Amino acid sequence: MENTQQRVGVIGGVRIPFCRNNTAYADVGNFGMSVKVLGALVERFGLHGMELGEVAMGAVIRHSSEWNLAREALLSSGLAPTTPGITTARACGTSLDNTILIANKIAAGQIEAGIAGGSDTTSDVPIVYSQRLRKRLLAVNRAKTPLEKLQTAVRGFSLSELKPSFPGVAEPRTGMSMGEHCEKMAREWHIGREAQDRLALDSHRKLAAAYDAGFFADLVVPFRGIKRDGFLRPDTSMDKLAGLKPAFDKRSGHGTLTAGNSTGLSDGAAAVLLASEAWATQRGLKIQAYLRDAEAAAVDFVHGEGLLMAPTIAVPRLLKRNGLTLQDFDFYEIHEAFAAQVLCTLRAWESADYCKNRLGLDAPLGSIDPAKLNVHGSSLAVGHPFAATGARIVATLAKLLEHKGSGRGLISICTAGGMGVVAILER
């Protein structure tokens, strides 16, 4: 295979406003939200009837019938039906992973353009039968005669078998929720409640200011009568945040994570268009920024490492490969799964001990300028439909770089399962 490396441009992205679960999008589902954002992208960039190299969409919580989500959604989007689609999932990193997937194919010369995105809903979750009932129903299906089927159906039946099973939010390996894991991280890194609330307040204020300034006018497409994110609270305050009770550690009296400094269960979707320079030029489309490089990492959270600390490992690997320092960026987009997670990450990069003993570095990565962090708000104020967050961040950062006219941005996303996905955009 010929090795032809092309620069990969981010043309732009769109999303629908993110909403609290069981509100405006409760009956829409992943398919409906995915069709909406793909269709909006088609309209914005004049892609109707066009065949793209690939559409990569993902969803973390989806029904078994949605195994082909990307392909089914693109068939209703206005793209040519000859466009392939692939459906993926890596928890909160899903649509950043899809961006990397599409970008790598473009860089290798396999395709010229593609769309990356994701959708998630916690309103329409798969509810499954108990294991005993599933086995019983399968056995009934295997039975040959009507009598055998009836006997299999009733033999040893208990009403308890009818109890449904809902998707869990706990890590299968530990039985602990992400919030419980993050409480442990906050204690380990001595991250207090006030600092977490302050970061959350800043996120709301920044997002509100960006909306008021019109920054999201072409990034956020109204849907179901909603024009702004349902989590946004422009009028929140430190006093209001301080009045909230701990959400995960409710008994010890030392819990610091609350509904105010943690992301809530969300519904939403986002997508971005990526292309080679030649493809964009031929169609008169401007490139907002270029995807320079990306990295993924994982931690051994089962045996003591912080569940959401993998980006602290992925970033220095990425920096080393690209000959950069942590300070060589104009913007930092660090996904706010929890305020504590962001603060733990920043403190780890400042720690001489952690950087030496865990990262193998001669010196700490150092601090970043807080004025460059999540400058238009992030997940605490926007919401966090798991598979949509990466595409939201890529689209936001690309537009930031376009407005600046030059520069470089770092994306950092922690995920369930003790993983992290990071990337560099530049212009």
Side-chain angles (χ1 to χ4, degrees), residues 11-14 37-55 74 77-81 83 113-116 271-275 279-280 283-285:
I11 308 299
V14 297
V37 295
L38 288 178
L41 207 60
V42 167
E43 290 297 323
R44 180 176 169 188
F45 295 110
L47 307 178
H48 195 274
M50 192 176 295
E51 178 184 314
L52 299 184
E54 186 83 88
V55 171
L74 78 86
S77 70
L79 290 171
T83 300
I115 293 173
V272 292
L273 174 64
L274 302 115
W279 189 93
R283 287 155 184 81
L285 296 173

Side-chain angles (χ1 to χ4, degrees), residues 29-68:
N30 286 320
F31 174 74
M33 293 190 294
S34 297
V35 169
K36 178 63 179 181
V37 295
L38 288 178
L41 207 60
V42 167
E43 290 297 323
R44 180 176 169 188
F45 295 110
L47 307 178
H48 195 274
M50 192 176 295
E51 178 184 314
L52 299 184
E54 186 83 88
V55 171
M57 293 287 288
V60 178
I61 299 177
R62 65 177 189 260
H63 297 275
S64 58
S65 60
E66 294 176 334
W67 63 272
N68 206 17

Side-chain angles (χ1 to χ4, degrees), residues 17 45 100 153 169 206 230 264 274 308 362 413 416 426:
F45 295 110
I100 298 164
V169 295
K206 291 173 182 177
L274 302 115
L308 306 179
D362 294 331
I413 298 178
E426 64 184 10

Side-chain angles (χ1 to χ4, degrees), residues 77-101:
S77 70
L79 290 171
T82 49
T83 300
I86 182 171
T87 304
T88 71
R90 196 214 298 259
C92 315
T94 297
S95 54
L96 179 56
D97 271 311
N98 285 338
T99 302
I100 298 164
L101 184 158

